[in-house]
Amino acid sequence: MPADGYGISTGKPTTRPSGQFPFEPPEHFPHASREAVAVEFDRFVDQADDLVESEQLFYLLAGFVSNFGYRWIAYSPLTPDQESLGAVSRDHVSFLNFPQEWQERYAEMGYDRIDPVVKISRKREGAFRWSEVYNDASTSEKERKVLDEAATFGLRSAVSVPLHGPDANFAILSFAQPQDCECQNKTVAYLQCSALHFHLKITELGRPKARWTGNSLSSREKECILWAARGKSSWETGMILGISANTVNFHIKNVMRKLDAASRTLAAVKAISLGLIAL
């Protein structure tokens, strides 16, 4: 079976899509003693309880799960009537640091509409390996294609944790790594516990205030929002830049999140007023 993989590209805000963390990951302990792992988990919980910034909490979680070899994280809340990851409510906080190339490919191909991990997450209570999704009899060949292609971008082994809440709302927190390996049951348990604590803490912190600076916009995001400000459609912008309309929409949605704008028009106005682009 091909190595498993998966990616999401939505939410507010997107945290460090390049996948780089502001710390050196500690040495991971796949064969460490039970006591050592327990100590690290206790430290994660204690430090998380003292944090007041959602980004700090994300980095703390990233540091803990890197002990198990997981370098990529994706966290996205969904609403009961939301059928894909492509239209997350602005009232929800989403984080991901999956490779930028995969995020763009995922958006361009519209994989959010056929992502099998979302389908399985709605039915499952506990954490699961993506290899289980790939081998599930209900997973179609189109859905397996998403997993196959994600593996080519380096997401080769992973675990997802469905986080079900009141009023049928739920979130998915996924951990991925580039190595081909089967996650041990003990590791899955720690990932699930840390995911639950992260989710509860994020909910407690509520919606963060916008803290983005001009440097937070990538050159491609600036190009896309500039042409939007000049009145070009996503299709027209794509023709100008040599990319697809889906990719243009992906970058504009990122700008909207970063500038806390409800529409592309408002995002363009904010970008101009902040001096990020010039007509």
Side-chain angles (χ1 to χ4, degrees):
M1 185 201 80
D4 52 1
Y6 162 68
I8 65 176
S9 56
T10 56
K12 178 181 186 302
T14 299
T15 299
R16 292 186 181 268
S18 64
Q20 299 300 312
F21 297 121
F23 61 80
E24 290 296 326
E27 294 294 326
H28 64 270
F29 42 70
H31 304 296
S33 68
R34 185 184 304 246
E35 292 75 15
V37 179
V39 168
E40 289 299 318
F41 180 72
D42 287 344
R43 182 179 293 121
F44 162 74
V45 172
D46 290 341
Q47 292 179 352
D49 288 341
D50 293 333
L51 296 179
V52 295
E53 298 288 342
S54 55
E55 284 84 357
Q56 293 175 340
L57 185 62
F58 177 77
Y59 296 142
L60 181 66
L61 176 66
F64 173 68
V65 301
S66 70
N67 286 307
F68 300 100
Y70 291 94
R71 59 179 297 187
W72 292 308
I73 305 174
Y75 170 77
S76 184
L78 291 90
T79 56
D81 57 349
Q82 187 177 332
E83 296 181 355
S84 75
L85 292 165
V88 174
S89 168
R90 293 179 63 256
D91 293 331
H92 291 137
V93 181
S94 180
F95 294 96
L96 72 160
N97 69 343
F98 280 11
Q100 182 70 23
E101 295 81 4
W102 171 239
Q103 293 187 47
E104 293 186 3
R105 176 64 174 175
Y106 189 91
E108 180 180 0
M109 299 301 294
Y111 284 154
D112 59 290
R113 297 188 296 271
I114 59 171
D115 196 319
V117 173
V118 179
K119 178 180 71 175
I120 296 296
S121 293
R122 289 193 179 277
K123 302 175 182 177
R124 295 282 294 266
E125 293 290 338
F128 56 87
R129 302 168 182 85
W130 292 345
S131 57
E132 299 173 41
V133 178
Y134 194 96
N135 291 320
D136 193 284
S138 67
T139 302
S140 68
E141 289 305 311
K142 284 187 176 180
E143 292 169 336
R144 289 192 179 96
K145 179 183 177 182
V146 180
L147 307 182
D148 286 335
E149 189 166 345
T152 68
F153 286 84
L155 296 107
R156 308 186 65 83
S157 179
V159 172
S160 279
V161 183
L163 299 160
H164 296 271
D167 302 320
N169 289 300
F170 84 106
I172 306 171
L173 208 163
S174 298
F175 306 98
Q177 60 175 298
Q179 289 78 29
D180 287 318
C181 61
E182 190 69 12
C183 186
Q184 299 177 0
N185 289 337
K186 181 174 69 175
T187 299
V188 173
Y190 274 111
L191 293 177
Q192 178 163 292
C193 289
S194 61
L196 177 59
H197 196 74
F198 174 87
H199 177 64
L200 294 175
K201 184 65 177 179
I202 283 290
T203 302
E204 176 186 329
L205 291 176
R207 183 180 178 185
K209 297 179 180 179
R211 289 178 295 282
W212 298 96
T213 66
N215 291 333
S216 296
L217 293 186
S218 69
S219 58
R220 183 66 87 185
E221 289 167 350
K222 289 179 181 179
E223 288 176 333
C224 291
I225 199 63
L226 172 61
W227 287 110
R230 291 175 176 174
K232 299 297 184 182
S233 67
S234 294
W235 182 84
E236 291 171 324
T237 299
M239 293 295 293
I240 293 170
L241 299 179
I243 58 179
S244 72
N246 281 337
T247 301
V248 173
N249 289 333
F250 167 75
H251 288 299
I252 289 180
K253 287 177 182 177
N254 278 345
V255 175
M256 291 169 58
R257 288 194 298 270
K258 292 178 179 182
L259 300 183
D260 195 21
S263 67
R264 66 170 59 198
T265 301
L266 181 56
V269 171
K270 283 191 173 185
I272 294 171
S273 64
L274 291 171
L276 304 181
I277 59 174
L279 294 176

